[in-house]
């Protein structure tokens, strides 16, 4: 996975596939843990629920769409990409963000802790389609962002080097054509997911 210090060598598709696989596995485990072990609504005090409540309070379709896109693209997508500027023991920090997103999204789904919808209103078929066409698309976009920017790390942190070792300068950051494509695809997917989420919220 890693050659010289600061270099991430495997191609974007390989990074994406293993990060997506890890995300899917952790999401499934967290979903089942939330469903069977935690009370319904357990995650309603989480930041995700607060943001969902804010977007659900919008007064028009385009206002809710804009707020949803602002959070998903302007905040989460940016965190996924920019976190990779830092590394821990050579591992891009975005990989840890991927784990956090997988666990929290699984717990939110498993405990039915959504602000704008109630999963009990949907049958299994409709619920699965809804989840894949909104949350599934969003998570794919986030994994794309992390995969595309895995090689931009500037500082590497360890317990001995808690201030970080500089491994690259800003001017040395380069993205390949494939990585730029993945970022653009991620942005497009978030636009689609935000539209679908807004339509769903207004029709519930």
């Amino acid at each position: 996975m890693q050659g010289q210090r600061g270099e991430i060598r495997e191609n974007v598709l390989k990074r994406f596939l293993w990060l997506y696989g890890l995300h899917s596995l952790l999401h499934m485990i967290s979903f089942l843990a939330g469903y069977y072990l935690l009370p319904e609504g357990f995650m309603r005090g989480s930041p995700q629920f607060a943001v969902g409540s804010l977007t659900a309070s919008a007064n028009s379709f385009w206002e809710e769409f804009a707020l949803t896109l602002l959070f998903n693209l302007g905040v989460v997508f940016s965190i996924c990409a920019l976190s990779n500027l830092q590394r821990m023991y050579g591992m891009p920090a975005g990989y840890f963000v991927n784990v956090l997103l997988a666990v929290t999204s699984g717990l939110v789904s498993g405990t039915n802790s959504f602000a704008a919808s109630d999963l009990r209103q949907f049958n299994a078929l409709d619920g699965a389609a809804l989840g894949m066409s909104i949350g599934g698309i969003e998570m794919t976009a986030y994994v794309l962002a992390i995969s595309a920017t895995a090689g931009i790390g500037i500082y590497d942190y360890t317990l001995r080097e808690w201030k970080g070792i500089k491994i690259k300068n800003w001017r040395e950051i380069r993205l390949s054509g494939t990585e730029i494509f993945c970022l653009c695809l991620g942005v497009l997917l978030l636009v689609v997911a935000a539209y679908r989420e807004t339509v769903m919220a207004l029709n519930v």
Side-chain angles (χ1 to χ4, degrees):
M1 181 179 69
Q2 193 165 334
Q4 297 177 351
R5 191 177 185 92
E7 293 296 326
I8 302 293
R9 290 188 170 184
E10 78 273 13
N11 62 48
V12 183
L13 178 59
K14 181 179 179 180
R15 289 200 300 261
F16 172 77
L17 289 176
W18 85 259
L19 284 172
Y20 190 85
L22 176 64
H23 180 98
S24 300
L25 176 63
L26 293 176
H27 178 88
M28 179 186 67
I29 293 172
S30 300
F31 178 93
L32 293 174
Y35 183 82
Y36 286 109
L37 302 177
L38 299 174
E40 186 171 0
F42 178 80
M43 295 292 289
R44 286 181 183 164
S46 65
Q48 292 94 326
F49 184 84
V51 171
S53 299
L54 175 63
T55 58
S57 66
N59 297 318
S60 68
F61 176 90
W62 292 111
E63 182 182 356
E64 182 164 346
F65 173 77
L67 287 172
T68 300
L69 193 58
L70 175 64
F71 177 73
N72 292 345
L73 180 58
V75 178
V76 183
F77 191 82
S78 297
I79 289 174
C80 288
L82 296 179
S83 62
N84 278 331
L85 290 169
Q86 317 299 326
R87 295 185 186 171
M88 295 184 64
Y89 290 94
M91 183 78 69
Y95 291 9
F96 300 100
V97 175
N98 182 49
V99 171
L100 179 63
L101 288 174
V103 172
T104 55
S105 64
L107 290 176
V108 168
S109 301
T111 58
N112 193 21
S113 299
F114 295 99
S117 62
D118 183 352
L119 294 184
R120 294 186 181 276
Q121 296 178 348
F122 305 98
N123 60 44
L125 184 61
D126 292 339
L130 187 66
M132 286 187 285
S133 64
I134 298 176
I137 292 179
E138 291 173 351
M139 292 306 161
T140 300
Y142 300 148
V143 176
L144 280 170
I146 294 169
S147 303
T149 57
I152 68 173
I154 293 179
Y155 288 96
D156 194 358
Y157 296 86
T158 67
L159 291 178
R160 291 184 178 181
E161 300 289 346
W162 61 273
K163 291 185 177 180
I165 299 173
K166 193 168 186 178
I167 56 177
K168 187 182 297 184
N169 294 314
W170 283 96
R171 64 178 180 274
E172 295 177 302
I173 294 177
R174 297 286 187 275
L175 293 179
S176 68
T178 304
E179 290 168 337
I180 293 173
F181 172 79
C182 287
L183 283 176
C184 293
L185 179 59
V187 171
L188 178 61
L189 289 177
L190 286 181
V191 173
V192 172
Y195 180 84
R196 289 277 300 128
E197 186 173 351
T198 305
V199 170
M200 180 275 298
L202 295 179
N203 289 333
V204 170

